[in-house]
Amino acid sequence: MTDSRINLKNPIVAGILAYLIPGAGHLYQGRLFKAGLYCFCILGLFFSGMAMADWQAVKPPAMGETRLLEKAKYAGQLGVGLPSMYGLVQRARYSSESNKKPETIEEPIVAPFEGVIAYRDEQQTFEEEVTGVITLQPAKAEYGGRTISGELTVEIDGKEWTFTLAPSVNLDRPIKSSKERGVRAEIVRESDGRYEYAGELVGSIPRRFTDWFQVPMDDDEVQGLHRQLGKYHELAMVFTWVAGFLNVLAIWDAVEGPAYGFGDESDDSTDSTSSDPPAT
């Protein structure tokens, strides 16, 4: 039962705050020690698991997911409140009709590029793994409409190269669980006032943190994460689940008060013994 010696204020408000941010309900009640303890321990455990899994431990089920186990995994993480609720926002963004491979872009993109170039002209032919800077920009398609073109600047054997990309760049959709956004394009060169095919590039550019963090994964992506992290993946998942379950107990404490006494209760057995008449 709720102990009258603790002012729980409005238990419903305290419970909601405790769910949204571990420790916030206790802070609202003025129970500062428990507020700091729950906040540090629960969020520390949760974010330790996230960091251990390369910040990809929270995996909300995709829209239309029917497997109960996948839903249960996320339900355990959802116990932490706001830190895991962003996954619901990401699931909606990931499943939206606007999240598809773009035919064009609204403004230029300048980003680091990493990938493979296959190039050939009359003087030389080579295939190289390269890193450099890619510039993508909106352009007019050959038969009307809008598309993507650009150029890539890299250094090969100490020499700087700038490759022109045909106006048909294939760019991966913006929101996905991968940190890298795929890029594929044809390389063209000018010859007699016209552009000719001269090769192609396949690689990736970094995806924004807000476009991959807590985005749903398909089975292949989950298996890839397993291969990358090994046993640490399962350990990270356990950390996030335990954090969620612990916060459920913290919510209960914020709503009902402590489950144990204060240490000043009388010992019934001692009182009973002391009241007995002396032995004769």
Side-chain angles (χ1 to χ4, degrees):
M1 295 178 64
T2 302
D3 197 302
S4 60
R5 286 173 290 184
I6 294 181
N7 182 8
L8 299 179
K9 297 186 178 181
N10 187 325
I12 296 177
V13 173
I16 293 173
L17 291 175
Y19 169 65
L20 294 177
I21 303 177
H26 296 79
L27 183 64
Y28 161 73
Q29 294 170 334
R31 302 161 70 187
L32 302 184
F33 176 76
K34 278 195 171 181
L37 180 67
Y38 288 141
C39 182
F40 177 79
C41 292
I42 295 175
L43 291 183
L45 187 63
F46 178 78
F47 286 114
S48 293
M50 289 289 285
M52 192 179 297
D54 200 20
W55 302 100
Q56 293 179 298
V58 175
K59 297 189 289 289
M63 292 288 191
E65 177 62 69
T66 57
R67 292 173 293 183
L68 182 60
L69 180 59
E70 296 302 313
K71 295 180 180 180
K73 289 178 180 179
Y74 182 58
Q77 298 169 330
L78 204 55
V80 179
L82 284 178
S84 59
M85 290 176 68
Y86 185 60
L88 299 176
V89 177
Q90 293 294 72
R91 182 176 70 168
R93 296 180 66 211
Y94 175 74
S95 303
S96 68
E97 294 183 359
S98 61
N99 185 36
K100 57 185 179 181
K101 292 183 177 181
E103 296 180 358
T104 187
I105 52 179
E106 298 300 323
E107 56 186 23
I109 297 175
V110 180
F113 172 86
E114 182 175 350
V116 177
I117 286 181
Y119 181 81
R120 67 174 183 270
D121 61 17
E122 297 174 353
Q123 286 76 35
Q124 56 189 330
T125 299
F126 60 81
E127 183 172 335
E128 295 278 348
E129 292 186 2
V130 298
T131 58
V133 176
I134 193 169
T135 301
L136 302 177
Q137 55 195 17
K140 292 183 179 180
E142 184 176 358
Y143 299 105
R146 306 287 291 175
T147 185
I148 305 172
S149 66
E151 61 181 27
L152 173 68
T153 301
V154 299
E155 187 174 297
I156 301 176
D157 296 332
K159 179 183 178 182
E160 184 176 280
W161 290 70
T162 299
F163 299 97
T164 301
L165 308 182
S168 57
V169 176
N170 188 321
L171 187 61
D172 196 8
R173 54 184 172 173
I175 302 170
K176 199 175 180 181
S177 63
S178 172
K179 296 181 181 180
E180 305 297 325
R181 189 176 183 184
V183 179
R184 180 186 293 270
E186 293 184 351
I187 299 172
V188 295
R189 59 186 179 87
E190 188 174 1
S191 177
D192 298 329
R194 54 185 299 182
Y195 286 104
E196 296 180 348
Y197 173 85
E200 62 180 13
L201 61 85
V202 178
S204 63
I205 60 176
R207 184 176 267 112
R208 294 185 305 178
F209 178 80
T210 54
D211 287 340
W212 65 260
F213 183 62
Q214 295 193 17
V215 171
M217 292 183 173
D218 59 31
D219 290 341
D220 290 339
E221 290 168 330
V222 172
Q223 291 303 318
L225 194 60
H226 270 287
R227 290 191 294 271
Q228 175 188 341
L229 300 175
K231 61 183 179 181
Y232 291 105
H233 179 269
E234 295 300 333
L235 186 59
M237 297 296 292
V238 170
F239 275 25
T240 59
W241 293 332
V242 171
F245 298 149
L246 287 178
N247 199 39
V248 172
L249 299 179
I251 296 168
W252 188 3
D253 184 86
V255 174
E256 290 290 334
Y260 297 98
F262 289 79
D264 58 356
E265 296 78 13
S266 62
D267 189 332
D268 292 341
S269 62
T270 303
D271 292 345
S272 174
T273 302
S274 62
S275 64
D276 290 339
T280 58

